[in-house]
Amino acid sequence: MASLQQRGNHFCGGTLIHPRFVMTAAHCLSGISPQRVQVVLGAHNLRRQERTQQRLRIQRVFENGFNPQTLRNDIVILQLEGAASTNANVQVARLPQQGQNVRVGSQCLAMGWGRLGNNRNSPAQLQELNVTTVTALCPTTNLCTLVPRRRAGICFGDSGGPLICNGIVYGIDSFIRGGCGSGFFPDSFARVSDYVQWINSIIRGHTGYAQWSWRRIAARRQKLF
């Protein structure tokens, strides 16, 4: 789990997919100079200078036809200036195979440092929420989730963070409708499995690695809401 920050302030999440690459939502960097963004890894409490934290700058941004009007292709890959040190607190996430989709009704985890509600502040500590994948009212190009029988969901500041199902990152937090945790409209995520070949081509082309062994993401977690 990564925190994207400007001047020490969190504004979006991200996922470490290789020691030199982080995946996030394209809209997170819309109108923002990448040179002003710091990627923070190994964080749990953003209001503390934790010894586990690693801070890296962005060297290059790879985008894939993002449409800011429709939020289609809401994904970018950030190449870091240096390589993250993988350890018990910072690990590389597993991605699905190209075209491998999660089943409807699957239990997944959304996480981030986004607001705790429409009119509530952002938390200091990393939050986690149990969600269920759905298709009702979901745009055909997205992966969507709801929290059954509760008004809960992702919120402002969670954008770019991962949706994890069975230990695999299937989605990137993209957009909400009807406010945070509307209880009616599902939360929408960019579908990672549509972009795996493109992601792998970037990693191969800019690291010299023919393959990468995806490892499970590790994070200390708390319940959201």
Side-chain angles (χ1 to χ4, degrees):
M1 182 74 204
S3 167
L4 304 188
Q5 299 184 7
Q6 284 196 98
R7 299 178 180 177
N9 296 314
H10 169 87
F11 66 92
C12 269
T15 304
L16 187 70
I17 59 172
H18 178 280
R20 290 188 62 99
F21 293 90
V22 165
M23 176 176 70
T24 188
H27 78 262
C28 284
L29 272 75
S30 182
I32 296 177
S33 171
Q35 288 73 32
R36 298 181 179 179
V37 176
Q38 193 171 49
V39 178
V40 181
L41 302 168
H44 180 62
N45 189 326
L46 295 181
R47 294 177 191 159
R48 295 181 180 174
Q49 295 296 320
E50 298 167 316
R51 297 169 66 180
T52 58
Q53 293 183 13
Q54 299 178 39
R55 298 174 178 271
L56 299 105
R57 295 289 181 179
I58 298 171
Q59 177 179 329
R60 186 173 177 183
V61 177
F62 298 88
E63 63 92 26
N64 194 339
F66 173 59
N67 185 320
Q69 281 74 45
T70 63
L71 294 180
R72 290 282 299 272
N73 301 316
D74 195 7
I75 178 174
V76 290
I77 304 300
L78 311 178
Q79 183 176 2
L80 305 175
E81 286 189 348
S85 298
T86 55
N87 52 44
N89 299 290
V90 176
Q91 294 191 21
V92 172
R94 294 174 60 201
L95 300 185
Q97 298 295 318
Q98 180 74 27
Q100 177 188 353
N101 295 319
V102 64
R103 293 182 179 179
V104 177
S106 295
Q107 303 301 300
C108 303
L109 294 170
M111 59 181 63
W113 289 275
R115 291 185 190 176
L116 297 175
N118 291 308
N119 300 310
R120 299 179 65 187
N121 293 329
S122 299
Q125 297 179 330
L126 181 62
Q127 305 289 296
E128 179 186 275
L129 179 67
N130 294 313
V131 298
T132 302
T133 57
V134 297
T135 55
L137 301 177
C138 181
T140 56
T141 56
N142 290 97
L143 176 61
C144 293
T145 65
L146 271 176
V147 179
R149 298 175 296 279
R150 289 179 60 197
R151 292 173 62 89
I154 60 174
C155 201
F156 309 110
D158 287 322
S159 290
L163 177 70
I164 304 172
C165 312
N166 300 317
I168 297 174
V169 179
Y170 280 95
I172 303 169
D173 292 18
S174 183
F175 64 91
I176 60 175
R177 290 173 288 170
C180 304
S182 70
F184 180 75
F185 290 107
D187 296 332
S188 296
F189 299 77
R191 196 186 301 272
V192 173
S193 63
D194 290 345
Y195 305 98
V196 174
Q197 291 180 356
W198 171 71
I199 293 169
N200 287 337
S201 71
I202 291 171
I203 294 173
R204 285 194 300 267
H206 295 84
T207 61
Y209 294 165
Q211 299 180 24
W212 181 258
S213 178
W214 307 107
R215 288 173 286 182
R216 289 184 180 274
I217 189 169
R220 288 167 289 173
R221 297 162 176 166
Q222 282 192 326
K223 294 293 181 182
L224 180 59
F225 296 93

